[in-house]
Amino acid sequence: MNNFFDPDRWQEVWLTITRNKRRSFFTAFGVFWGIFMLVIMLSSGNGISNGIFAQVQDIPLNSCFFWTNKTTEPYMGFRKGRWWSLNEGDLEAIKAQVRDLDIIAPIMSGGSSNVVHKDKTGRYRVKGVPGNYTQILPQVIYYGRFINEMDVREGRKVCVLGKKVYDELFMRGQNPVGEYLKVGGITYRIIGVSDQTATGVNINGRDGEGIQVPYTVIQRLYNSGDDIHMFIVTTKKGVSIVDKEDYLKSVIKGRHSISPSDDYAIQCLDIEKLAKRYNLMLLGINLLIWVVGIGTLLAGAIGVSNIVMITVRERTKEIGVRRALGAKPASIMSQIMSESLILTLIAGFLGLASGVLIMDIVNKFIPNDSNGFFMNPHIDFQTALISSAIIIVCGLLSGILPAWRALQIKAIDAIREE
């Protein structure tokens, strides 16, 4: 464009825009609102994404939780509706028959029990866990340690309190390690206080709200033999758990005479599949946000184009005279497009800045922890650049039709206008 950096040129553009302030304001507001809503929606989408993945951020994606349910099909002489249990023999069979597995962790549910410590009591859920439990569900250790393999192997009556249990039974700052409490009438020695870092997967309740003991202790107390209520399995690095899921089920079904087609009898929660579903859902949300946001922005740009078209009609005499005095088509075209571009840029970048500011204020009032499904709403730098590019493109597009209309004006039109 000729004389692009000429101050007189831009002063003329600005005078044209401010000639009718009310009309320019309402025209620009359409662009402002479009980019503002795009930023708000994209930031909110990121907040939802951050909140969802914070629920499972510390759980290995290549992990799967298995538990039993009653059968729904008759098989090998057994009626449907039969209840059955997993056992440690299943875990040994899985280790022997399924390749590329890394961790196998059995879980026992002890139900809810009355817990007594001196003059304080409460009712909490009790869970039996193995020594490798923290490799799958990492813990924040506040005092002492977590249960280890020696505790499990020897069936020690030790326990780890959840953070909430500790807060309700002990004074703040008091170290409970080494003290004793009664859980369902059985005395346990406290070896630690912890809470799980991932809140999105709760096995028999949140760890921070219950009590963990060695799973072998639960087996003995309930005379369960080698039965287990659930187990968690992870694969080696680089191996998808999805590829192993069906085979794992078939091994277990074969050991318990369950129909191969009875999918209800053994239930599982595949973290990898769960993460993929979350990703697809969030992809759909982001796609919808972009479609709605860009659609709103284009509507604003069309408004700018219409207003600039009206301005061109009002300036028919001026443009005709300039054409008669030898103004080149490129000069006329650049003048009109500059007006639409400036109007769009001002409104667009104000909308972008306002959206970022609003979401920053909202973020200050949201606790950035993993207890909610909305965390740290923001728009990243790459998205901001894309939004800026969209603003510029919309500004240029909104000026094309008015500029073309201006080029059709002839000197004779100025005489007729006179």
Side-chain angles (χ1 to χ4, degrees):
M1 295 183 182
N2 296 330
N3 302 322
F4 185 82
F5 296 103
D6 185 359
D8 292 337
R9 166 201 175 89
W10 293 108
Q11 184 178 10
E12 183 181 352
V13 169
W14 182 250
L15 288 174
T16 303
I17 293 174
T18 57
R19 186 176 300 165
N20 192 324
K21 294 183 177 63
R22 181 179 298 178
R23 184 170 66 188
S24 296
F25 171 79
F26 285 109
T27 302
F29 184 78
V31 178
F32 169 88
W33 187 251
I35 197 67
F36 176 79
M37 290 306 300
L38 179 62
V39 171
I40 294 295
M41 289 188 294
L42 287 173
S43 299
S44 299
N46 285 333
I48 294 172
S49 176
N50 293 335
I52 288 176
F53 283 102
Q55 308 295 312
V56 294
Q57 63 180 348
D58 293 324
I59 302 176
L61 287 179
N62 59 335
S63 60
C64 194
F65 300 70
F66 292 87
W67 65 95
T68 64
N69 218 326
K70 64 181 180 180
T71 60
T72 58
E73 298 177 18
Y75 188 69
M76 296 182 66
F78 292 100
R79 296 181 178 181
K80 69 176 183 179
R82 170 170 59 98
W83 288 99
W84 60 287
S85 298
L86 294 164
N87 56 55
E88 293 190 64
D90 296 328
L91 305 188
E92 295 301 323
I94 289 171
K95 290 178 183 178
Q97 298 180 43
V98 184
R99 300 176 58 186
D100 297 322
L101 297 186
D102 187 18
I103 302 171
I104 300 179
I107 306 293
M108 292 292 291
S109 172
S112 295
S113 298
N114 287 321
V115 178
V116 180
H117 176 258
K118 296 181 179 179
D119 60 338
K120 294 185 178 181
T121 63
R123 191 168 184 84
Y124 306 100
R125 298 191 70 86
V126 181
K127 178 164 56 182
V129 299
N132 58 2
Y133 182 73
T134 56
Q135 296 181 45
I136 298 176
L137 285 178
Q139 305 283 318
V140 177
I141 305 297
Y142 296 96
Y143 293 100
R145 64 175 177 84
F146 204 77
I147 292 165
N148 59 32
E149 290 295 343
M150 189 70 72
D151 298 325
V152 174
R153 188 162 50 249
E154 296 182 1
R156 295 172 179 172
K157 291 186 175 64
V158 295
C159 68
V160 175
L161 305 182
K163 183 63 166 57
K164 182 179 179 181
V165 179
Y166 165 78
D167 291 338
E168 295 178 356
L169 296 182
F170 291 85
M171 295 178 59
R172 180 174 296 180
Q174 179 183 356
N175 190 340
V177 176
E179 297 200 26
Y180 292 86
L181 51 71
K182 286 190 175 182
V183 181
I186 306 297
T187 300
Y188 292 83
R189 182 169 61 88
I190 301 171
I191 61 172
V193 177
S194 73
D195 196 357
Q196 68 188 61
T197 58
T199 59
V201 177
N202 297 330
I203 306 172
N204 191 34
R206 284 193 59 189
D207 291 346
E209 299 173 358
I211 298 175
Q212 283 66 245
V213 303
Y215 81 91
T216 50
V217 173
I218 300 292
Q219 287 178 326
R220 292 173 187 174
L221 289 177
Y222 289 90
N223 295 318
S224 300
D226 67 346
D227 285 353
I228 58 175
H229 296 146
M230 173 188 288
F231 72 90
I232 313 170
V233 61
T234 68
T235 55
K236 293 180 179 179
K237 187 176 181 179
V239 179
S240 172
I241 188 64
V242 177
D243 298 335
K244 304 293 181 180
E245 184 181 316
D246 290 338
Y247 189 43
L248 283 164
K249 288 182 178 180
S250 67
V251 171
I252 297 172
K253 288 177 180 179
R255 284 178 49 82
H256 293 273
S257 300
I258 296 172
S259 171
S261 60
D262 191 349
D263 294 327
Y264 185 77
I266 179 166
Q267 301 286 303
C268 70
L269 174 63
D270 190 321
I271 300 300
E272 186 175 339
K273 285 183 178 179
L274 184 65
K276 287 180 179 178
R277 282 198 291 267
Y278 282 161
N279 279 324
L280 286 175
M281 179 185 71
L282 294 171
L283 179 63
I285 291 174
N286 283 329
L287 181 61
L288 179 62
I289 287 172
W290 276 107
V291 170
V292 173
I294 292 177
T296 306
L297 189 58
L298 286 176
I302 291 173
V304 172
S305 180
N306 289 333
I307 292 302
V308 176
M309 183 73 77
I310 293 173
T311 302
V312 169
R313 290 175 182 171
E314 292 175 348
R315 297 165 61 195
T316 297
K317 177 182 176 181
E318 173 194 335
I319 295 172
V321 170
R322 291 179 62 184
R323 292 296 303 275
L325 294 175
K328 295 181 179 180
S331 175
I332 302 294
M333 188 172 184
S334 65
Q335 177 76 18
I336 302 301
M337 292 191 68
S338 296
E339 294 171 10
S340 65
L341 180 61
I342 288 298
L343 192 62
T344 305
L345 286 180
I346 292 174
F349 284 114
L350 282 176
L352 180 62
S354 299
V356 171
L357 177 62
I358 291 296
M359 295 314 297
D360 185 61
I361 294 172
V362 169
N363 189 38
K364 293 184 186 301
F365 290 94
I366 298 176
N368 287 323
D369 53 34
S370 57
N371 294 323
F373 280 92
F374 191 78
M375 289 176 55
N376 189 26
H378 70 285
I379 180 171
D380 54 62
F381 183 70
Q382 182 180 359
T383 306
L385 288 179
I386 294 173
S387 301
S388 301
I390 292 173
I391 295 172
I392 295 172
V393 170
C394 286
L396 293 173
L397 291 178
S398 63
I400 290 177
L401 189 59
W404 178 84
R405 174 68 182 85
L407 293 179
Q408 309 307 308
I409 298 174
K410 307 298 181 184
I412 191 64
D413 294 329
I415 299 174
R416 291 172 181 165
E417 190 71 17
E418 185 66 27

